[in-house]
Amino acid sequence: NEAGSGLLQQDMSSWTKHLKNDFQGGLYERHTVLRETHEQLAAAGARYVAMSGSGSSVFGIFDDEPKINSPYTLFQSRL
């Protein structure tokens, strides 16, 4: 659709202004591991971080390889 194609023309860092997940705020408050994961991905250099759907995953989109040795090292304290 036209709105979606316009979004793809914008800088990825502006996506958070336009793409909202209504579940994210409440779930980040109730399950801090989701919020912390979001923050860790952003700190590792993700240009865009979001929670999918109802919270089954939190993901980051990177321009280059993340500034971490491996995803495991980023989250190993949670395992």
Side-chain angles (χ1 to χ4, degrees), residues 2 7 21 24-25 27 29 31-32 35 45 52 57 60-61 73 78:
E2 188 175 316
L7 184 64
N21 182 330
Q24 186 169 308
L27 286 174
E29 288 178 26
H31 304 283
T32 58
R35 179 183 41 78
S52 68
S57 64
I61 300 175
T73 58
R78 294 284 179 202

Side-chain angles (χ1 to χ4, degrees), residues 3 8 16 27 33-36 43 52-53 57 60:
L8 293 176
T16 55
L27 286 174
V33 67
L34 295 173
R35 179 183 41 78
E36 291 166 358
S52 68
S57 64

Side-chain angles (χ1 to χ4, degrees), residues 4-69:
S5 64
L7 184 64
L8 293 176
Q9 302 304 316
Q10 295 181 22
D11 184 83
M12 195 182 314
S13 61
S14 72
W15 288 5
T16 55
K17 297 176 196 169
H18 306 287
L19 300 174
K20 300 292 181 193
N21 182 330
D22 293 334
F23 294 111
Q24 186 169 308
L27 286 174
Y28 277 22
E29 288 178 26
R30 292 181 73 190
H31 304 283
T32 58
V33 67
L34 295 173
R35 179 183 41 78
E36 291 166 358
T37 300
H38 182 118
E39 292 168 353
Q40 288 175 318
L41 288 168
R47 293 267 316 256
Y48 177 73
V49 182
M51 183 182 79
S52 68
S54 59
S56 61
S57 64
V58 175
F59 64 93
I61 300 175
F62 294 81
D63 284 331
D64 298 307
E65 189 170 331
K67 300 171 189 166
I68 55 174
N69 294 331

